Amino acid sequence: GQLTVKKSLSLPSGVAGPFAFNFQATCDGSVYSASIADYPSTTSVVVKTGAGEDIPVGVQCTVTEDSLPPAPTGYDWAAAVVSPAGAVAVTAAGTTVSVTNKLDANEVGVDFSLALDLPAGIADSFSVAVAMTCDGKSYTESLVSGAAPKTVKVPANANCTVSSAEPTAPPANNAWSTPTNNTPSFTAKL
């Protein structure tokens, strides 16, 4: 029978490979290795014994993935999902084990805080809505003056813009000046 390892990846837009993957099949105490050198051109590999033969029918094998290739800048590999998990019997018709990986974007924390320049005697207890867009995804936060900064996680290397409204209603006989964003646009870097 044949023991085939089928590889699949969940890749973000713009990431294509090629990637190399190494697998081990532990079969009734013996360990066999197999590799895919150029995913996605090659998506599966048949595990062979050290003598280059197929794994015998009826043998129980557990497939694992060895160390992953380096992830592209700004990404990390999620843990592999092996299906079926655990030992599988090699059949005369052949047995396939799927190994799936996903690339997750690294995230960067963007801190927001609200600082107000208030006249003497005015209590500092105002809030403002802040909107941020990073590569098309929107984030909103309500900030309170004097409070600890709020952190929003965004994908690394995302291009972001920030805007804010005026704080809540000013005290009687006062008006807000135009808000100033310290960094109205930026690229989120690690």
Side-chain angles (χ1 to χ4, degrees):
Q2 284 190 335
L3 175 62
T4 301
V5 178
K6 183 175 177 6
K7 183 70 184 171
S8 62
L9 295 178
S10 175
L11 298 174
S13 176
V15 177
F19 298 105
F21 297 96
N22 298 304
F23 310 96
Q24 284 192 346
T26 303
C27 304
D28 289 349
S30 296
V31 179
Y32 307 110
S33 297
S35 299
I36 293 175
D38 59 352
Y39 182 94
S41 294
T42 303
T43 59
S44 64
V45 61
V46 175
V47 180
K48 299 286 189 177
T49 67
E53 299 171 348
D54 287 341
I55 307 293
V57 172
V59 170
Q60 295 284 316
C61 296
T62 302
V63 173
T64 56
E65 185 170 51
D66 289 344
S67 60
L68 292 163
T73 301
Y75 297 93
D76 287 319
W77 290 108
V81 176
V82 179
S83 178
V88 293
V90 176
T91 65
T95 301
T96 299
V97 174
S98 297
V99 180
T100 303
N101 294 89
K102 179 181 176 194
L103 269 178
D104 290 328
N106 292 331
E107 291 186 322
V108 176
V110 177
D111 292 333
F112 289 97
S113 61
L114 175 61
L116 299 176
D117 186 13
L118 299 171
I122 303 288
D124 191 2
S125 61
F126 299 95
S127 63
V128 65
V130 175
M132 178 173 65
T133 303
C134 297
D135 289 347
K137 184 173 180 185
S138 296
Y139 306 84
T140 57
E141 286 294 330
S142 178
L143 303 177
V144 176
S145 58
K150 289 190 176 181
T151 301
V152 176
K153 297 283 189 176
V154 301
N157 300 313
N159 292 308
C160 303
T161 58
V162 178
S163 62
S164 63
E166 287 186 354
T168 50
N173 301 319
N174 288 279
W176 295 117
S177 60
T178 303
T180 301
N181 292 327
N182 289 339
T183 311
S185 63
F186 60 92
T187 299
K189 295 287 187 183
L190 291 174

